Amino acid sequence: MKKRKKVGHTIYAFTVLILGILIIAMVILLLFHVQTIEVSGNKYVSSSEIGESIQKNSKTKNSLYLLSKNLLGKIEYPTAVVSTKMRLKAPWSIKVAVKEKKIIGYTVIDDAYVYFDENGIVLSKSAVLMEKIPCIEGLSTNAELYKKLPVEEKRIFSNIDTMLKELDKWKIKPDRIVSDRADLTIYIGKITITLGSGNMKEKISQLSPILKKLEGKEGTLDLRHYGETTEMISFKEGELPKKEKETVDKK
C-alpha cells in the first residue's frame, strides 16, 4: 500500500513537472514571439531590408532565439551593414542599432543616385539625393547593388578616397569632381584643377595658397606631374588659349 502511494506521488510530481515545463514553454513561445523589429542608426539601408535579413532562414520568430543568433554572428545582414547591437525592448519586440559602411561619394546612372564606399562597392541605389556627399562624374554607366562599380582603372577609388580626405583636411570644397580613368579633375569657381592620378596628398597641400593668388581669375591649374617629374605648377588662363603658361610658386 505504501509502495502504491509512493508511486502515485511520484507520478503526480512528474505530471506536475511536465505540465510546468509545458506551460513555461508555451509562455516563452507566445510571449517572446516577435511582433515588432525597431531599427536605428541606419541612414541608407532600409529598416525593412534589415528586418527581413534578421528573420530570413530562421525556423522561429522567437525573440530569444534571434537574440542568441545575432550574438553568435549567424545573421546575414546586407553588405552595407558593418555591425549591429540587438536587445529586447519587450519580450515581443526587438531593437537593433545598426552601423553602416561609410559612403564616400556618388555618381548618377540611369537617373538614379549610386552611392559607393572607398573600395567602389555600391552601397545604395536611390532616387533620393543625400546631402553633403560629393558627386563623382564619369565613373561608370552601370551599377549593381553591393557589387563593385565596373571601371577600367581599379586605383581610381583609392585616388578618390585620398583626394576627398585631403580636400576635407584643407577645407577645400570643389564645385565639381570629374574622373577620367584614374585621373581626377576638380572645379572650384572658374578654376579647373587637373590632379592626374598620383600624389594626391602633395598636390592638394599646394592648393590653398595658390587658389588665393588666383582669386578672380579663370583658367586651368595643372598639377598632373607635380611631385613625380617636376616641382613646377602651371596655370593657363582659359580666355587666352594662345597665351604661354604662367608658373605659380608652390607652397
Side-chain angles (χ1 to χ4, degrees):
M1 197 67 157
K2 289 183 179 179
K3 287 184 178 179
R4 286 183 181 179
K5 285 185 178 179
K6 189 174 183 181
V7 171
H9 284 305
T10 303
I11 293 173
Y12 175 77
F14 181 74
T15 303
V16 171
L17 178 63
I18 294 299
L19 286 173
I21 292 172
L22 288 174
I23 291 170
I24 292 171
M26 287 299 293
V27 169
I28 290 174
L29 287 173
L30 295 174
L31 188 61
F32 289 86
H33 181 78
V34 175
Q35 296 179 33
T36 60
I37 297 177
E38 185 179 320
V39 182
S40 64
N42 55 320
K43 295 180 180 178
Y44 57 88
V45 181
S46 69
S47 296
S48 60
E49 187 178 0
I50 293 170
E52 286 171 11
S53 67
I54 290 172
Q55 298 182 82
K56 187 179 179 182
N57 299 324
S58 293
K59 296 177 181 179
T60 175
K61 290 185 178 180
N62 182 276
S63 57
L64 296 176
Y65 169 75
L66 294 176
L67 199 67
S68 61
K69 190 177 178 183
N70 185 74
L71 192 63
L72 294 171
K74 299 295 184 180
I75 296 177
E76 292 184 11
Y77 288 98
T79 304
V81 175
V82 177
S83 63
T84 61
K85 289 183 179 180
M86 185 185 291
R87 66 178 179 84
L88 293 180
K89 188 177 180 182
W92 55 87
S93 179
I94 289 175
K95 186 168 184 178
V96 188
V98 172
K99 182 180 180 182
E100 299 168 319
K101 285 185 178 179
K102 183 182 178 182
I103 290 173
I104 67 162
Y106 77 90
T107 188
V108 180
I109 300 175
D110 296 331
D111 298 323
Y113 299 109
V114 178
Y115 300 91
F116 57 90
D117 66 8
E118 73 277 7
N119 297 311
I121 304 298
V122 177
L123 300 179
S124 176
K125 291 173 71 176
S126 173
V128 179
L129 178 61
M130 299 184 199
E131 295 182 354
K132 298 180 181 180
I133 295 178
C135 177
I136 313 297
E137 301 174 35
L139 274 180
S140 180
T141 56
N142 60 82
E144 190 174 344
L145 190 62
Y146 303 139
K147 297 223 175 147
K148 195 165 187 173
L149 279 169
V151 292
E152 292 183 29
E153 292 280 354
K154 303 299 181 185
R155 57 179 173 155
I156 183 62
F157 298 112
S158 61
N159 284 345
I160 290 171
D161 187 39
T162 302
M163 177 196 68
L164 291 174
K165 286 176 180 175
E166 290 303 307
L167 288 173
D168 185 62
K169 174 184 174 181
W170 292 95
K171 293 181 172 54
I172 298 171
K173 295 182 179 180
D175 302 312
R176 288 177 64 202
I177 302 172
V178 179
S179 71
D180 180 13
R181 295 172 68 93
D183 294 333
L184 291 170
T185 300
I186 62 176
Y187 297 81
I188 300 175
K190 295 182 179 181
I191 304 294
T192 300
I193 304 163
T194 54
L195 295 169
S197 61
N199 297 318
M200 291 295 163
K201 287 185 178 182
E202 293 181 40
K203 291 173 181 178
I204 293 172
S205 68
Q206 307 301 314
L207 281 182
S208 189
I210 293 174
L211 289 173
K212 287 181 181 179
K213 292 181 180 180
L214 297 178
E215 193 171 345
K217 292 188 178 182
E218 179 180 355
T220 300
L221 184 65
D222 191 349
L223 287 90
R224 287 174 298 172
H225 306 295
Y226 177 79
E228 296 174 358
T229 59
T230 179
E231 293 293 303
M232 301 296 288
I233 296 172
S234 61
F235 176 71
K236 187 175 182 179
E237 291 199 45
E239 294 184 349
L240 299 170
K242 294 182 181 180
K243 185 178 179 180
E244 291 185 2
K245 292 181 179 180
E246 301 174 352
T247 299
V248 181
D249 296 332
K250 65 185 182 72
K251 183 180 175 183

